[in-house]
Amino acid sequence: MGKELTTREADYSQWYNDLVIKGELADYSAVRGCMVIKPYGYALWENMRDQLDKMFKETGHVNAYFPLFVPKSLFEAEEKNAEGFAKECAIVTHYRLKNDPANPGKLMVDPDAKLEEELVIRPTSEAIIWNTYKGWIQSYRDLPILVNQWANVVRWEMRTRLFLRTAEFLWQEGHTAHATKEEAIDETKKMLDVYAEFVEHYMAVPVVKGVKTPNERFAGAEDTYCIEALMQDGKALQAGTSHFLGQNFAKAFDVQYLTKENKQEYVWATSWGVSTRLIGALIMAHSDDQGLILPPRIAPLQVVIVPIYKGEESKPVIDEKVNGIIKELKSLGISVKYDNSDNARPGWKFAEYELKGVPVRIALGLRDLENNVVELARRDTKEKNTVSIDGLAQYVSNLLEEIQQNIFNRALAFRNENIREANTWDEFVSLLDTKAGFISAHWDGTPETEEKIKEMTKATIRCIPLNNKQENGSCILTGKPSKERVLFARAY
RNA sequence: CGGGAUGUAGCGUAGCCCGGUUAUCGCGCCUGGUUUGGGACCAGGAGGUCGCAAGUUCGAAUCUUGCCAUCCCGACCA
């Protein structure tokens, strides 16, 4: 019987949890709100990370590493940023434990080891980084600084969900410093494009690029750009953000540079990040009731080979043939696992690798060898075909590409079907309740109206799409004039 | 943090209301054998702080209190 999965229809949240845990991506840990990322899930993250890292470097960035701890006085320097994150910070107050005289064998916090100044465990690193940049920047010749860091951060969330919202999570955060506003804005948009390309091209998840309203802006940013994805249950998920920080952090940390004209100017800043949350997006965008569906370009395993033995004497014959196939696949850069383990029969393995979302499965037995063919099954459509062993590697390589495209096209079609226009309040509410998805509607541009809509419907403005069509209309709630539509949705 | 639910072996569970031998069953796991084209079968075996702690009792998985964790619905958020 093995692993039973909850269906999406029965309980979408439970289905998601089942996939994460039974697909062996991650598991709950002994620490509240924190998960263990298991080897299979970590391999997926590594593939995502490696590709992003490559793209960052191609756009001129370098990696560095800054401390996990941020002295409270630095953390509070940029007020809006500090205020925004204050209520979800973990704080180190002591540096030593000692034996508890009242409870033998137990430890207690040593009251004599109180820190002079508390250390905030970074929820994001602008503060420590800008404090550092102050020492790096004197002249326009020191700019731009284009640094990225791969790190863990901690945000003490009240309610956590595997990958989507954990107290500790892995991410990258780019922090750049520029001489001019224009250059910083260009950087902000450039990195948004990098994210969009990565998410669409590698993760096969279509996104809407846009800009956040002031309400939804990152704490301390002048502008927050984002990519928004749509999940199969019709809820939106913010997949990445890129912030134009203006001179806020430069002013807070007094980071100035000398221009060519020998004038002191404040530095312009950006920051941008994506996290392990992307894995949640990946799962909810593609997977089905049989398990994960992973896009070939980032799947930890692209191909699994399952032998169908008939009697002891068939093993060496099949194994030898498979070794040749593996060699050919690897020569084309395809990752492959040969599962000839004896503790599960073929049917069990088929189900297991479907659960784990391996894009292509090859099965072969003596019968196939006689005909010089294999059975080839693709995870995305569950189609099975008999394919000649001659030229198999190339066939598989093409198929992986086709699967990548198909997964993307499917998600894109779903996303496009689920962007609907609403022109009246009734229409808006009924669409939210019956169809969910993105709703494109006019809004009067005020934070008050946005807040009111959120209170009434739980829908938020996900973004104002970039290159948005300008059209006159009236706000769905207040009826006041509006020049463009914005995208609403209920979101994760 | 507010409301609701749950917690018994790796997983899923019976028992709990009404306290009483050695905690039930299935899957999985180990050993041996037969097997292998969609979640195999036979035989033998291992595995339990009944979420944690205190209390009531001659006796607690079962009753009481506190705590912890997870899930769902809110508030908050990437």
Side-chain angles (χ1 to χ4, degrees):
Chain A
M1 256 53 86
K3 304 172 176 177
E4 297 294 330
L5 298 176
T6 306
T7 62
R8 286 167 289 184
E9 199 191 352
D11 185 342
Y12 195 81
S13 297
Q14 191 55 49
W15 165 80
Y16 174 80
N17 287 331
D18 279 1
L19 258 55
V20 172
I21 291 169
K22 293 177 180 168
E24 299 190 317
L25 296 176
D27 210 344
Y28 297 110
S29 75
V31 189
R32 173 178 210 153
C34 297
M35 64 178 170
V36 173
I37 303 176
K38 297 181 78 173
Y40 190 64
Y42 200 78
L44 177 61
W45 175 242
E46 283 177 315
N47 286 346
M48 292 163 64
R49 190 192 62 190
D50 291 350
Q51 180 55 37
L52 279 166
D53 199 65
K54 200 172 138 202
M55 294 167 87
F56 296 157
K57 284 170 181 162
E58 278 166 1
T59 44
H61 302 85
V62 290
N63 286 332
Y65 188 80
F66 296 85
L68 169 68
F69 305 112
V70 185
K72 186 166 141 289
S73 58
L74 291 186
F75 186 76
E76 64 202 7
E78 208 294 323
E79 281 181 35
K80 282 195 179 135
N81 186 249
E83 196 190 314
F85 284 102
K87 56 189 176 304
E88 50 190 82
C89 285
I91 332 259
V92 179
T93 56
H94 292 73
Y95 58 87
R96 196 164 62 208
L97 298 170
K98 65 173 192 177
N99 289 321
D100 183 353
N103 291 295
K106 304 279 187 193
L107 294 172
M108 61 180 284
V109 173
D110 186 343
D112 295 333
K114 194 166 176 347
L115 290 170
E116 287 293 313
E117 179 178 5
E118 292 91 346
L119 298 173
V120 175
I121 298 178
R122 62 182 169 211
T124 180
S125 301
E126 277 78 4
I128 187 75
I129 287 179
W130 277 87
N131 178 68
T132 308
Y133 282 180
K134 181 178 165 58
W136 290 5
I137 298 168
Q138 277 93 42
S139 127
Y140 72 92
R141 294 178 194 275
D142 297 323
L143 296 172
I145 292 178
L146 304 173
V147 164
N148 174 65
Q149 103 166 333
W150 290 96
N152 57 339
V153 288
V154 169
R155 296 182 186 176
W156 213 262
E157 302 289 353
M158 286 172 179
R159 216 176 126 198
T160 58
R161 295 196 62 191
L162 295 164
F163 286 115
L164 295 173
R165 190 178 298 109
T166 46
E168 180 193 12
F169 58 93
L170 304 183
W171 76 344
Q172 58 69 219
E173 46 182 328
H175 295 273
T176 67
H178 306 267
T180 66
K181 179 177 181 178
E182 294 65 38
E183 193 183 305
I185 291 175
D186 285 350
E187 166 78 6
T188 311
K189 290 181 178 166
K190 182 201 283 178
M191 297 323 287
L192 187 75
D193 287 342
V194 167
Y195 287 156
E197 194 200 327
F198 170 74
V199 173
E200 295 199 331
H201 199 64
Y202 290 87
M203 297 178 56
V205 177
V207 295
V208 177
K209 288 192 273 191
V211 64
K212 290 289 188 189
T213 61
N215 269 3
E216 299 278 326
R217 215 174 260 161
F218 176 74
E222 298 281 301
D223 255 321
T224 288
Y225 293 83
C226 62
I227 48 173
E228 292 286 327
L230 188 65
M231 304 295 102
Q232 293 178 47
D233 63 346
K235 283 168 87 172
L237 189 140
Q238 180 174 305
T241 47
S242 184
H243 315 293
F244 168 59
L245 302 175
Q247 294 175 310
N248 294 340
F249 284 88
K251 285 177 179 165
F253 291 91
D254 191 31
V255 185
Q256 301 190 52
Y257 72 100
L258 214 48
T259 65
K260 259 184 195 166
E261 292 76 32
N262 205 34
K263 266 178 59 190
Q264 288 285 352
E265 299 268 7
Y266 284 108
V267 170
W268 298 86
T270 83
S271 70
W272 27 274
V274 296
S275 72
T276 38
R277 185 181 221 211
L278 282 177
I279 294 176
L282 186 69
I283 296 167
M284 289 196 288
H286 300 312
S287 303
D288 64 19
D289 290 346
Q290 277 70 51
L292 298 166
I293 294 179
L294 300 178
R297 286 190 193 145
I298 54 165
L301 255 187
Q302 293 172 312
V303 176
V304 64
I305 303 178
V306 176
I308 315 285
Y309 293 129
K310 274 247 166 38
E312 275 300 315
E313 63 285 358
S314 71
K315 292 188 179 182
V317 184
I318 294 171
D319 288 355
E320 196 198 330
K321 195 73 191 175
V322 168
N323 285 333
I325 293 172
I326 290 173
K327 214 169 144 190
E328 275 184 53
L329 288 170
K330 284 189 172 163
S331 76
L332 292 185
I334 296 167
S335 59
V336 54
K337 172 179 171 175
Y338 180 36
D339 187 353
N340 59 352
S341 59
D342 200 27
N343 57 355
R345 295 171 75 230
W348 190 90
K349 292 176 184 174
F350 294 170
E352 178 67 12
Y353 292 107
E354 274 162 17
L355 167 57
K356 296 186 109 176
V358 178
V360 170
R361 183 185 71 231
I362 295 172
L364 76 166
L366 285 181
R367 198 172 76 197
D368 301 302
L369 292 190
E370 280 166 23
N371 299 317
N372 196 41
V373 295
V374 297
E375 181 193 81
L376 204 138
R378 52 189 284 185
R379 177 63 183 91
D380 61 335
T381 60
K382 312 243 338 244
E383 281 174 282
K384 288 192 273 195
N385 276 306
T386 303
V387 177
S388 167
I389 291 179
D390 300 329
L392 178 63
Q394 190 55 52
Y395 186 96
V396 169
S397 178
N398 296 343
L399 180 61
L400 288 169
E401 199 45 45
E402 192 186 322
I403 292 170
Q404 180 81 29
Q405 284 310 319
N406 181 51
I407 293 175
F408 177 74
N409 290 339
R410 205 155 70 176
L412 182 64
F414 176 82
R415 199 278 310 273
N416 289 343
E417 277 163 28
N418 284 284
I419 302 182
R420 300 183 180 83
E421 292 195 350
N423 295 309
T424 66
W425 180 252
D426 288 346
E427 216 179 328
F428 181 76
V429 172
S430 121
L431 277 176
L432 263 183
D433 290 338
T434 58
K435 309 265 192 191
F438 286 120
I439 300 175
S440 177
H442 282 282
W443 159 64
D444 65 17
T446 66
E448 293 74 31
T449 301
E450 183 180 8
E451 194 56 41
K452 207 172 284 176
I453 293 174
K454 185 179 174 183
E455 273 170 34
M456 293 168 78
T457 63
K458 290 174 220 150
T460 51
I461 299 177
R462 301 319 301 158
C463 69
I464 303 163
L466 298 185
N467 310 317
N468 211 6
K469 184 176 73 176
Q470 301 296 299
E471 71 169 39
N472 289 318
S474 50
C475 175
I476 41 159
L477 185 65
T478 63
K480 290 180 188 162
S482 149
K483 293 197 308 288
E484 61 181 340
R485 290 173 182 271
V486 297
L487 280 189
F488 287 87
R490 292 190 177 130
Y492 277 97

